[in-house]
Amino acid sequence: MTEAIAATARWQSCAIVEIATRTPAIKSFFLRLSETFDHKAGQHVDVRLIAPNGYTAMRSYSIASAPSDSRVIELAIERLPDGEVSPFFHDVAQVGDTIELRGPLGGHFLWPRPSSKPVLLIGAGSGVAPLMAMIRYRKASAEVVPVALLLSSRTWCEVLFRDELLELETSLPDFAFALALTREPATRRTDFSGRIDARVVADVAARLPASPGCAFVCGSNAFVDIAADAVLALGLEAGTIKTERYGA
Amino acid sequence: MVTRGFTGRQSGSEPSDRVPPGQHLVDNFPVLTAGPTPRIEPADWTFTLKVGPRPVKVWSWSEFNALPRTRMTRDIHCVTSWSKLSTAWEGVAVDDILADAGLSAPTPFVLAHCFDGYSTNVPLADLATGKAMVALKYEGQPLPREHGGPARLLVPHLYFWKSAKWVNGLQFTERDEAGFWELRGYHMYGDPWNEQRYTND
Ligand SMILES: Cc1cc2nc3c(=O)[nH]c(=O)nc-3n(C[C@H](O)[C@H](O)[C@H](O)COP(=O)(O)OP(=O)(O)OC[C@H]3O[C@@H](n4cnc5c(N)ncnc54)[C@H](O)[C@@H]3O)c2cc1C
């Protein structure tokens, strides 16, 4: 593991080959690697932007695409007002531009391979990005481990990867998907209105055929704390609950 | 290579001699933790000093709080690229912990251990001579749980993952043994001024 990371953590230039608007505040950036790498679902890259005076800004972004032979990776970046790097991606970056990144990075928030026990995924906002890599990986690899995804979003329009997830909900076996909408009532019977809590998490976990062997929680720090405590309340060991906190 | 159209946040006021390469300043205090935030009651809190597998001394919360206090105001640097200037801490210097146990330097290497199973390696030279403490207070208040309360290691001159949260012991080791993040691709030493972020940096 350590060696795999070390060998590939060189900076490389990548071309933006496509930009897709995902939600009002989130765009996906498809980057073509100049040096291909083999990432594991859940890992991230570090991106750096360099100003003419040499000033450099660096941030981490999860890889939303599944590991594959493709040289193109997807990053889903949420625009934070007054941020330094995310508004650059949203307002300035264009197809054909070159971005420097290094990766794949992170040796903890990783899809368990091989996994046999069901996996519980909980994300909010852009925090669904590494979870999407896991779900896409499970689909592509034809692994049979059951997965449940609980996704918190302000509104239906702001659900990252919504259409793809709705499609997977019907086509992918052993995949349960529930939304918790915090700023508008949920219309689907299987979704929730309001913020997630222990009851909501228990309800979604119960849609798995057996209790989960591990959980992945990703989003803002405040969200992750609430969700991780709710997973603890299910009876999972702290060591089986992996969290990725997007700062602030 | 210059990124087309990127100028950076035009603040102009950053005291750049205090900001290591690749870092940016924040006013808030971001939280990065690999799992749930542990809850540790003072009654359940202990701190153990070990040489190899052998425990040398164990302190309870009240015993540990009776040790001499040290204050430090330092800049801190997280590997995820934020830095925060002039953070004020109070706690027990590692020197005073060793002195209370009557220990000097059994080996040059130390692993810090934590309640949540996390560990991190720091050479003794970076812990002793006033360089590091077990912090009990931040900005004059008991250390908040999300920042490692009731006690965290503070090694401010290294990337902040070395300042292990919810610390419950120090262990001298024969060799420089990798801790939790060091086994997962992060640098063995972690000097922000040399950008030692990942294993081979
Ligand atoms: C492992 C990891 C993976 C991540 N993956 C993703 C991902 O997949 N997608 C994603 O969108 N994000 C992800 N993040 C978060 C990402 O790294 C950035 O933190 C995020 O994009 C914000 O960066 P920024 O430069 O736009 O904002 P920053 O400039 O860092 O500011 C963040 C916020 O603080 C405020 N702020 C801070 N300092 C100032 C200042 N001096 N002046 C004004 N305002 C200030 C800004 O208003 C802004 O809202 C990840 C983080 C980590 C650690």
Side-chain angles (χ1 to χ4, degrees):
Chain A
M1 164 95 284
T2 306
E3 257 135 55
I5 291 168
T8 50
R10 276 187 294 271
W11 288 103
Q12 57 165 300
S13 296
C14 302
I16 301 179
V17 292
E18 189 191 337
I19 300 174
T21 299
R22 296 291 194 193
T23 76
I26 303 175
K27 287 182 183 177
S28 277
F29 296 82
F30 294 85
L31 301 167
R32 184 185 297 112
L33 304 170
S34 47
E35 247 180 87
T36 175
F37 61 54
D38 187 18
H39 73 277
K40 297 181 177 64
Q43 285 189 298
H44 66 271
V45 293
D46 280 356
V47 166
R48 72 176 175 195
L49 308 180
I50 304 173
N53 65 1
Y55 170 80
T56 301
M58 200 182 78
R59 299 290 187 279
S60 302
Y61 293 100
S62 304
I63 304 171
S65 41
S68 76
D69 296 337
S70 164
R71 276 179 170 254
V72 176
I73 61 166
E74 176 180 1
L75 308 180
I77 300 181
E78 178 172 2
R79 187 183 193 287
L80 295 191
D82 306 323
E84 183 171 38
V85 171
S86 61
F88 166 84
F89 272 96
H90 277 253
D91 307 343
V92 181
Q94 291 173 7
V95 170
D97 282 350
T98 302
I99 298 292
E100 287 191 33
L101 63 78
R102 70 192 298 205
L105 301 166
H108 178 63
F109 198 84
L110 301 178
W111 178 255
R113 275 193 291 182
S115 49
S116 49
K117 290 198 178 161
V119 177
L120 178 60
L121 308 175
I122 307 178
S126 55
V128 73
L131 310 179
M132 198 64 207
M134 295 178 179
I135 294 165
R136 287 167 165 172
Y137 168 77
R138 208 212 81 172
K139 182 186 179 203
S141 68
E143 278 194 24
V144 289
V145 52
V147 173
L149 170 68
L150 171 58
L151 203 170
S152 174
S153 176
R154 279 183 297 218
T155 63
W156 175 256
C157 295
E158 289 167 280
V159 176
L160 178 58
F161 301 124
R162 185 193 62 211
D163 294 346
E164 185 176 346
L165 288 166
L166 291 172
E167 194 282 314
L168 288 171
E169 188 182 27
T170 53
S171 67
L172 192 62
D174 278 324
F175 174 61
F177 171 48
L179 287 169
L181 300 180
T182 58
R183 300 265 176 97
E184 66 185 24
T187 53
R188 304 194 319 158
R189 197 175 38 80
T190 48
D191 290 341
F192 302 89
S193 304
R195 293 173 182 273
I196 69 154
D197 56 23
R199 186 188 55 84
V200 169
V201 170
D203 186 304
V204 174
R207 299 179 195 180
L208 290 164
S211 52
C214 62
F216 293 87
V217 183
C218 185
S220 69
N221 181 50
F223 173 82
V224 167
D225 256 350
I226 292 168
D229 280 349
V231 180
L232 278 175
L234 290 178
L236 269 77
E237 295 280 332
T240 65
I241 306 168
K242 301 189 177 187
T243 64
E244 190 86 276
R245 297 161 196 253
Y246 284 179
Chain B
M1 204 185 65
V2 170
T3 313
R4 186 194 67 78
F6 179 70
T7 49
R9 193 179 271 138
Q10 302 291 336
S11 72
S13 57
E14 300 195 353
S16 57
D17 59 332
R18 288 171 68 180
V19 183
Q23 297 292 112
H24 67 284
L25 291 180
V26 297
D27 297 324
N28 60 337
F29 194 165
V31 173
L32 294 135
T33 299
T37 307
R39 277 197 174 74
I40 303 132
E41 300 302 325
D44 302 326
W45 191 92
T46 58
F47 189 88
T48 306
L49 187 66
K50 288 183 177 180
V51 177
R54 183 174 61 90
V56 175
K57 183 154 186 169
V58 182
W59 291 263
S60 68
W61 178 247
S62 56
E63 289 162 349
F64 198 85
N65 275 268
L67 295 175
R69 291 297 183 101
T70 297
R71 285 185 191 170
M72 276 186 189
T73 298
R74 293 285 187 281
D75 302 341
I76 56 175
H77 313 290
C78 175
V79 71
T80 63
S81 88
W82 56 265
S83 291
K84 192 169 173 59
L85 301 183
S86 305
T87 58
W89 304 85
E90 182 182 321
V92 182
V94 173
D95 301 303
D96 291 322
I97 299 172
L98 299 184
D100 193 58
L103 214 59
S104 56
T107 76
F109 307 111
V110 177
L111 263 180
H113 295 281
C114 306
F115 279 93
D116 57 340
Y118 181 90
S119 59
T120 190
N121 56 320
V122 186
L124 178 61
D126 291 275
L127 293 176
T129 59
K131 287 197 174 123
M133 64 158 75
V134 170
L136 304 169
K137 286 188 170 182
Y138 171 68
E139 301 293 345
Q141 299 297 320
L143 189 59
R145 196 165 66 92
E146 63 171 359
H147 291 303
R152 79 180 294 163
L153 192 63
L154 178 72
V155 195
H157 63 288
L158 299 180
Y159 278 128
F160 214 47
W161 88 80
K162 295 286 184 181
S163 294
K165 292 185 270 198
W166 313 291
V167 70
N168 68 357
L170 296 177
Q171 176 185 26
F172 284 93
T173 56
E174 287 298 327
R175 293 173 298 112
D176 190 14
E177 286 184 32
F180 181 91
W181 285 118
E182 295 81 11
L183 284 170
R184 288 164 178 77
Y186 287 80
H187 198 273
M188 283 295 272
Y189 183 64
D191 176 5
W193 294 97
N194 285 308
E195 280 209 83
Q196 294 172 339
R197 298 176 195 274
Y198 302 106
T199 303
N200 282 354
D201 285 351

